[in-house]
Amino acid sequence: MINKISNFLQEKKSIFVILIFLLFAAVYFLLVSYILKLHGPSWICVPSDLDYINLLNGLNILTGRPSGLLVHPDITTVYLFAIFIYLIHLVIGGNNLVSDVVSRAETYMQTITYLFLIITSFSLFYLGNAVYKYTKNIWLSIFSQIYLLVFIGSYAVLYQLNNASAENIQMICSILMIAVSLKFVREDILKHQLKTIIILSLLACLAVASKFTGAILLLFPFIMISGRRLKCIYVLSSA
């Protein structure tokens, strides 16, 4: 039965496969949205106590002030918050940026949280496509999309990984790095390999800039890349 389904999907080419990956990405989005709804407003500050700190730090960046309190170091997080605050204010904001964000802090925080969730869901969709493209195994591809729900059974952990936090950024970078690494392993053209190395370097650095524990992600591409020249390029691009 499983082999018949796999053969059918390969015969029908990409459209059915894309729809399947979109479906599982949508399932992830809906399940996590339900968890976020169960949790309640961001000002509860449990299990994360940095939501409003990141919001105000992002606002500081937009208004030309020092970012304020930086934790582990949260640089990527703060600048993403600044970008999202700016975009949200363009769409639904009032005249004064600072007054609007402060008076409707929960609205901004919840919108940013769902924007992060959209990015995470898209990353899982991209991962499923990448796994299928390079393995032609539909079941492995689906598993790559749902493994977070399968192995992370804790409500608190799932919330922490999807509440617009440094951990959320690290998870997104990790998912994208897996997808890009598959491309690198199968790529044999030097020009394309160099491009992939730079992308891996950027993703790893974004993860580290969000939280120092992401430093371990710098090691994986270095181990995977073969040849001194390419390793040197990766190290220099990550410096």
Side-chain angles (χ1 to χ4, degrees):
M1 182 64 179
I2 293 177
N3 289 332
K4 287 183 179 179
I5 295 175
S6 299
N7 292 334
F8 172 80
L9 290 172
Q10 290 182 13
E11 289 173 1
K12 296 301 180 181
K13 299 183 180 179
S14 61
I15 184 63
F16 288 96
V17 175
I18 291 175
L19 289 175
I20 288 174
F21 296 149
L22 279 174
L23 173 64
F24 280 98
V27 167
Y28 182 86
F29 178 87
L30 292 174
L31 287 175
V32 175
S33 295
Y34 180 67
I35 290 175
L36 294 174
K37 184 177 180 180
L38 285 178
H39 176 270
S42 300
W43 52 258
I44 293 176
C45 293
V46 176
S48 173
D49 58 352
L50 297 176
D51 292 352
Y52 275 44
I53 292 176
N54 290 330
L55 183 69
L56 294 176
N57 283 345
L59 182 59
N60 285 337
I61 295 296
L62 284 177
T63 54
R65 297 182 177 90
S67 61
L69 176 65
L70 290 178
V71 184
H72 51 62
D74 248 358
I75 295 173
T76 308
T77 315
V78 169
Y79 278 90
L80 276 178
F81 264 72
I83 293 171
F84 288 148
I85 290 171
Y86 176 77
L87 294 176
I88 295 168
H89 186 260
L90 281 179
V91 177
I92 63 172
N95 293 327
N96 186 278
L97 174 63
V98 175
S99 299
D100 194 51
V101 174
V102 172
S103 64
R104 297 195 296 163
E106 187 60 28
T107 299
Y108 274 83
M109 193 62 235
Q110 289 294 322
T111 306
I112 291 172
T113 299
Y114 278 96
L115 287 173
F116 268 84
L117 179 55
I118 290 172
I119 295 174
T120 304
S121 301
F122 174 80
S123 300
L124 289 172
F125 168 73
Y126 180 73
L127 175 62
N129 271 286
V131 173
Y132 184 76
K133 178 179 179 181
Y134 295 110
T135 67
K136 299 302 179 184
N137 188 323
I138 186 64
W139 305 110
L140 180 61
S141 306
I142 293 174
F143 179 76
S144 71
Q145 289 188 286
I146 65 172
Y147 74 96
L148 288 174
L149 298 177
V150 172
F151 289 106
I152 303 176
S154 168
Y155 154 83
V157 174
L158 271 175
Y159 176 81
Q160 183 70 20
L161 291 175
N162 291 278
N163 75 327
S165 61
E167 290 80 8
N168 198 168
I169 293 173
Q170 287 184 327
M171 181 175 68
I172 292 170
C173 290
S174 300
I175 292 170
L176 293 176
M177 286 182 71
I178 294 172
V180 175
S181 296
L182 288 172
K183 179 180 179 181
F184 177 83
V185 171
R186 294 302 184 95
E187 186 61 72
D188 56 359
I189 301 176
L190 180 59
K191 180 181 178 180
H192 294 167
Q193 284 185 330
L194 293 175
K195 180 180 177 180
T196 306
I197 287 173
I198 293 174
I199 294 174
L200 286 171
S201 172
L202 176 62
L203 290 170
C205 289
L206 287 173
V208 175
S210 64
K211 196 170 185 178
F212 287 133
T213 53
I216 188 67
L217 295 178
L218 288 168
L219 183 61
F220 295 144
F222 183 81
I223 295 174
M224 178 186 65
I225 296 170
S226 60
R228 293 182 180 179
R229 180 186 175 188
L230 293 179
K231 284 182 182 292
C232 287
I233 292 173
Y234 172 72
V235 171
L236 290 174
S237 61
S238 302

